[in-house]
Amino acid sequence: MTSLQAVASTRLYRMIADQIAARIKAGDFPAGGRLPAERDLAEQLQVSRASVREALIALEIEGYVEVRVGTGVFVSPAREDGQVETPRAPTAANGLEATDIGPFDLLETRLLIEPECAALAAQKASPAQIAAIRAAHDGMSLTESPSLHDRAFHSAIGAACGNAALAAAISHIWHLSTLSPVFHRLEEHFVTTKVWSEAQKEHERILAAIVDRDPIRARHAMHDHLVGILARLREDFGSVGIR
């Protein structure tokens, strides 16, 4: 008896990337030329700009396009044989097997659960747990690797929420983020020193609300922080003065 074949679940941004790559190979988008704006691609494909953003980043990782923040997205130069450069297989920044879950899916999931986690931490955190949150916050300004302290800050809030399942869920989402090459490339383009400074101020408001045992303020502060992250990663590639 013939066995059933596994059904692959292809992410939307991956399907968009494949469509654009096919048009590049067909010569519809010539080497060296600029791709249409994200909003135009989104309208043509009837998808969200976030999905187009993820697709363009995936294509850059694979060598099809070059993202020039402040200018736009350009098709990579052709090789001597007239073909686009051979795509590079995506790998996670830490060398582990990459995940294909899009960064905006991960951030939107965080937006669903981390504000409530912050509210719970404001109610239930022990003095030692609040000290751990504060230490992670303070560490961001003392290091050249703020992303490590950023994760420590959010993880410490998760640990202080009093719900082991919720803390584990937050930890897993962060783990998936570290395995996403698309997430890492987005951060390379848009997470600057100025952005880290803004994030640190947002963290300070979250910390203050938790210290004051104010769950409503903590919830809103975390919500605003995550919405800010989403907005910063959705900056237009063609905008001038991002860096």
Side-chain angles (χ1 to χ4, degrees), residues 10-34:
T10 304
R11 309 292 178 188
L12 177 59
Y13 82 84
R14 183 67 262 170
M15 292 188 284
I16 296 168
D18 290 344
Q19 280 200 51
I20 296 173
R23 293 188 62 183
I24 290 173
K25 292 176 182 177
D28 296 338
F29 299 132
R34 184 163 60 181

mmCIF file of all heavy atoms in Angstrom, residues 10-34:
data_model
loop_
_atom_site.group_PDB
_atom_site.id
_atom_site.type_symbol
_atom_site.label_atom_id
_atom_site.label_comp_id
_atom_site.label_asym_id
_atom_site.label_seq_id
_atom_site.Cartn_x
_atom_site.Cartn_y
_atom_site.Cartn_z
ATOM 1 N N THR A 10 4.226 25.691 4.106
ATOM 2 C CA THR A 10 5.074 26.762 3.599
ATOM 3 C C THR A 10 4.595 28.101 4.121
ATOM 4 O O THR A 10 3.427 28.444 3.995
ATOM 5 C CB THR A 10 5.073 26.786 2.052
ATOM 6 O OG1 THR A 10 5.480 25.508 1.568
ATOM 7 C CG2 THR A 10 6.026 27.838 1.526
ATOM 8 N N ARG A 11 5.483 28.848 4.717
ATOM 9 C CA ARG A 11 5.136 30.161 5.245
ATOM 10 C C ARG A 11 4.771 31.099 4.104
ATOM 11 O O ARG A 11 5.325 31.014 3.004
ATOM 12 C CB ARG A 11 6.304 30.748 6.036
ATOM 13 C CG ARG A 11 6.881 29.825 7.086
ATOM 14 C CD ARG A 11 5.947 29.576 8.234
ATOM 15 N NE ARG A 11 6.543 28.642 9.195
ATOM 16 C CZ ARG A 11 5.899 28.129 10.217
ATOM 17 N NH1 ARG A 11 4.640 28.430 10.439
ATOM 18 N NH2 ARG A 11 6.495 27.287 11.044
ATOM 19 N N LEU A 12 3.872 32.037 4.378
ATOM 20 C CA LEU A 12 3.438 32.982 3.358
ATOM 21 C C LEU A 12 4.606 33.774 2.804
ATOM 22 O O LEU A 12 4.740 33.950 1.587
ATOM 23 C CB LEU A 12 2.378 33.920 3.929
ATOM 24 C CG LEU A 12 1.875 35.025 2.987
ATOM 25 C CD1 LEU A 12 1.262 34.435 1.729
ATOM 26 C CD2 LEU A 12 0.870 35.916 3.710
ATOM 27 N N TYR A 13 5.496 34.252 3.683
ATOM 28 C CA TYR A 13 6.603 35.065 3.189
ATOM 29 C C TYR A 13 7.511 34.249 2.279
ATOM 30 O O TYR A 13 8.112 34.780 1.337
ATOM 31 C CB TYR A 13 7.380 35.701 4.340
ATOM 32 C CG TYR A 13 8.407 34.825 5.017
ATOM 33 C CD1 TYR A 13 9.698 34.692 4.506
ATOM 34 C CD2 TYR A 13 8.102 34.146 6.195
ATOM 35 C CE1 TYR A 13 10.648 33.905 5.127
ATOM 36 C CE2 TYR A 13 9.044 33.358 6.826
ATOM 37 C CZ TYR A 13 10.310 33.242 6.291
ATOM 38 O OH TYR A 13 11.251 32.459 6.907
ATOM 39 N N ARG A 14 7.591 32.925 2.536
ATOM 40 C CA ARG A 14 8.419 32.068 1.694
ATOM 41 C C ARG A 14 7.818 31.946 0.291
ATOM 42 O O ARG A 14 8.539 31.959 -0.710
ATOM 43 C CB ARG A 14 8.533 30.697 2.356
ATOM 44 C CG ARG A 14 9.414 29.692 1.665
ATOM 45 C CD ARG A 14 10.859 30.113 1.714
ATOM 46 N NE ARG A 14 11.283 30.767 0.470
ATOM 47 C CZ ARG A 14 12.431 31.391 0.317
ATOM 48 N NH1 ARG A 14 13.267 31.488 1.340
ATOM 49 N NH2 ARG A 14 12.755 31.953 -0.830
ATOM 50 N N MET A 15 6.485 31.855 0.210
ATOM 51 C CA MET A 15 5.824 31.790 -1.095
ATOM 52 C C MET A 15 6.010 33.093 -1.859
ATOM 53 O O MET A 15 6.214 33.106 -3.080
ATOM 54 C CB MET A 15 4.344 31.466 -0.916
ATOM 55 C CG MET A 15 4.078 30.059 -0.392
ATOM 56 S SD MET A 15 2.319 29.597 -0.402
ATOM 57 C CE MET A 15 1.727 30.524 1.013
ATOM 58 N N ILE A 16 5.946 34.217 -1.140
ATOM 59 C CA ILE A 16 6.167 35.528 -1.769
ATOM 60 C C ILE A 16 7.595 35.603 -2.290
ATOM 61 O O ILE A 16 7.836 36.038 -3.425
ATOM 62 C CB ILE A 16 5.898 36.656 -0.760
ATOM 63 C CG1 ILE A 16 4.432 36.660 -0.341
ATOM 64 C CG2 ILE A 16 6.279 38.013 -1.351
ATOM 65 C CD1 ILE A 16 4.142 37.550 0.853
ATOM 66 N N ALA A 17 8.554 35.177 -1.458
ATOM 67 C CA ALA A 17 9.955 35.204 -1.872
ATOM 68 C C ALA A 17 10.175 34.363 -3.124
ATOM 69 O O ALA A 17 10.900 34.763 -4.045
ATOM 70 C CB ALA A 17 10.845 34.714 -0.735
ATOM 71 N N ASP A 18 9.537 33.198 -3.176
ATOM 72 C CA ASP A 18 9.700 32.318 -4.337
ATOM 73 C C ASP A 18 9.143 32.966 -5.605
ATOM 74 O O ASP A 18 9.716 32.836 -6.694
ATOM 75 C CB ASP A 18 9.014 30.976 -4.088
ATOM 76 C CG ASP A 18 9.731 30.143 -3.038
ATOM 77 O OD1 ASP A 18 10.902 30.451 -2.734
ATOM 78 O OD2 ASP A 18 9.118 29.186 -2.517
ATOM 79 N N GLN A 19 8.021 33.676 -5.458
ATOM 80 C CA GLN A 19 7.447 34.371 -6.621
ATOM 81 C C GLN A 19 8.382 35.462 -7.134
ATOM 82 O O GLN A 19 8.612 35.596 -8.341
ATOM 83 C CB GLN A 19 6.096 34.998 -6.257
ATOM 84 C CG GLN A 19 4.931 34.040 -6.264
ATOM 85 C CD GLN A 19 3.601 34.786 -6.380
ATOM 86 O OE1 GLN A 19 3.416 35.625 -7.262
ATOM 87 N NE2 GLN A 19 2.675 34.483 -5.476
ATOM 88 N N ILE A 20 8.920 36.254 -6.220
ATOM 89 C CA ILE A 20 9.819 37.340 -6.625
ATOM 90 C C ILE A 20 11.099 36.769 -7.219
ATOM 91 O O ILE A 20 11.614 37.268 -8.233
ATOM 92 C CB ILE A 20 10.124 38.259 -5.435
ATOM 93 C CG1 ILE A 20 8.837 38.943 -4.954
ATOM 94 C CG2 ILE A 20 11.165 39.316 -5.816
ATOM 95 C CD1 ILE A 20 8.996 39.750 -3.684
ATOM 96 N N ALA A 21 11.617 35.693 -6.615
ATOM 97 C CA ALA A 21 12.830 35.059 -7.136
ATOM 98 C C ALA A 21 12.606 34.543 -8.558
ATOM 99 O O ALA A 21 13.483 34.670 -9.423
ATOM 100 C CB ALA A 21 13.247 33.912 -6.221
ATOM 101 N N ALA A 22 11.431 33.983 -8.809
ATOM 102 C CA ALA A 22 11.120 33.472 -10.146
ATOM 103 C C ALA A 22 11.114 34.612 -11.170
ATOM 104 O O ALA A 22 11.593 34.450 -12.300
ATOM 105 C CB ALA A 22 9.770 32.763 -10.137
ATOM 106 N N ARG A 23 10.595 35.759 -10.771
ATOM 107 C CA ARG A 23 10.560 36.909 -11.683
ATOM 108 C C ARG A 23 11.961 37.472 -11.907
ATOM 109 O O ARG A 23 12.276 37.947 -13.003
ATOM 110 C CB ARG A 23 9.620 37.979 -11.141
ATOM 111 C CG ARG A 23 8.154 37.540 -11.145
ATOM 112 C CD ARG A 23 7.218 38.680 -10.794
ATOM 113 N NE ARG A 23 7.286 39.761 -11.764
ATOM 114 C CZ ARG A 23 6.605 40.897 -11.665
ATOM 115 N NH1 ARG A 23 5.798 41.083 -10.621
ATOM 116 N NH2 ARG A 23 6.722 41.849 -12.571
ATOM 117 N N ILE A 24 12.812 37.398 -10.885
ATOM 118 C CA ILE A 24 14.201 37.825 -11.061
ATOM 119 C C ILE A 24 14.900 36.903 -12.050
ATOM 120 O O ILE A 24 15.593 37.349 -12.972
ATOM 121 C CB ILE A 24 14.933 37.839 -9.705
ATOM 122 C CG1 ILE A 24 14.398 38.973 -8.819
ATOM 123 C CG2 ILE A 24 16.440 37.996 -9.905
ATOM 124 C CD1 ILE A 24 14.947 38.961 -7.406
ATOM 125 N N LYS A 25 14.699 35.603 -11.886
ATOM 126 C CA LYS A 25 15.319 34.637 -12.799
ATOM 127 C C LYS A 25 14.821 34.812 -14.227
ATOM 128 O O LYS A 25 15.557 34.590 -15.194
ATOM 129 C CB LYS A 25 15.024 33.216 -12.313
ATOM 130 C CG LYS A 25 15.708 32.842 -11.009
ATOM 131 C CD LYS A 25 15.267 31.452 -10.562
ATOM 132 C CE LYS A 25 15.885 31.053 -9.248
ATOM 133 N NZ LYS A 25 15.390 29.728 -8.772
ATOM 134 N N ALA A 26 13.550 35.205 -14.351
ATOM 135 C CA ALA A 26 12.973 35.387 -15.686
ATOM 136 C C ALA A 26 13.400 36.701 -16.330
ATOM 137 O O ALA A 26 13.120 36.944 -17.504
ATOM 138 C CB ALA A 26 11.453 35.328 -15.598
ATOM 139 N N GLY A 27 14.076 37.547 -15.572
ATOM 140 C CA GLY A 27 14.533 38.817 -16.112
ATOM 141 C C GLY A 27 13.529 39.945 -15.988
ATOM 142 O O GLY A 27 13.764 41.046 -16.499
ATOM 143 N N ASP A 28 12.409 39.702 -15.302
ATOM 144 C CA ASP A 28 11.419 40.764 -15.116
ATOM 145 C C ASP A 28 11.974 41.892 -14.250
ATOM 146 O O ASP A 28 11.590 43.054 -14.403
ATOM 147 C CB ASP A 28 10.136 40.207 -14.487
ATOM 148 C CG ASP A 28 9.435 39.210 -15.394
ATOM 149 O OD1 ASP A 28 9.672 39.267 -16.616
ATOM 150 O OD2 ASP A 28 8.669 38.366 -14.883
ATOM 151 N N PHE A 29 12.850 41.515 -13.317
ATOM 152 C CA PHE A 29 13.544 42.493 -12.493
ATOM 153 C C PHE A 29 15.032 42.360 -12.806
ATOM 154 O O PHE A 29 15.697 41.456 -12.303
ATOM 155 C CB PHE A 29 13.290 42.242 -11.003
ATOM 156 C CG PHE A 29 11.843 42.339 -10.592
ATOM 157 C CD1 PHE A 29 11.267 41.353 -9.801
ATOM 158 C CD2 PHE A 29 11.055 43.413 -10.991
ATOM 159 C CE1 PHE A 29 9.945 41.435 -9.412
ATOM 160 C CE2 PHE A 29 9.724 43.498 -10.614
ATOM 161 C CZ PHE A 29 9.166 42.516 -9.822
ATOM 162 N N PRO A 30 15.590 43.216 -13.635
ATOM 163 C CA PRO A 30 16.974 43.050 -14.095
ATOM 164 C C PRO A 30 18.004 43.285 -12.994
ATOM 165 O O PRO A 30 17.764 44.035 -12.037
ATOM 166 C CB PRO A 30 17.108 44.103 -15.198
ATOM 167 C CG PRO A 30 16.087 45.144 -14.860
ATOM 168 C CD PRO A 30 14.941 44.389 -14.249
ATOM 169 N N ALA A 31 19.149 42.634 -13.132
ATOM 170 C CA ALA A 31 20.238 42.784 -12.172
ATOM 171 C C ALA A 31 20.651 44.243 -12.073
ATOM 172 O O ALA A 31 20.784 44.947 -13.084
ATOM 173 C CB ALA A 31 21.425 41.927 -12.600
ATOM 174 N N GLY A 32 20.819 44.709 -10.858
ATOM 175 C CA GLY A 32 21.207 46.092 -10.622
ATOM 176 C C GLY A 32 20.041 47.042 -10.500
ATOM 177 O O GLY A 32 20.203 48.170 -10.047
ATOM 178 N N GLY A 33 18.852 46.587 -10.917
ATOM 179 C CA GLY A 33 17.673 47.445 -10.861
ATOM 180 C C GLY A 33 17.028 47.415 -9.486
ATOM 181 O O GLY A 33 17.213 46.479 -8.714
ATOM 182 N N ARG A 34 16.253 48.445 -9.210
ATOM 183 C CA ARG A 34 15.557 48.507 -7.922
ATOM 184 C C ARG A 34 14.203 47.837 -8.039
ATOM 185 O O ARG A 34 13.474 48.026 -9.010
ATOM 186 C CB ARG A 34 15.389 49.960 -7.482
ATOM 187 C CG ARG A 34 14.759 50.093 -6.105
ATOM 188 C CD ARG A 34 14.967 51.465 -5.500
ATOM 189 N NE ARG A 34 14.389 52.524 -6.309
ATOM 190 C CZ ARG A 34 14.463 53.821 -6.002
ATOM 191 N NH1 ARG A 34 15.144 54.193 -4.916
ATOM 192 N NH2 ARG A 34 13.905 54.727 -6.761
#
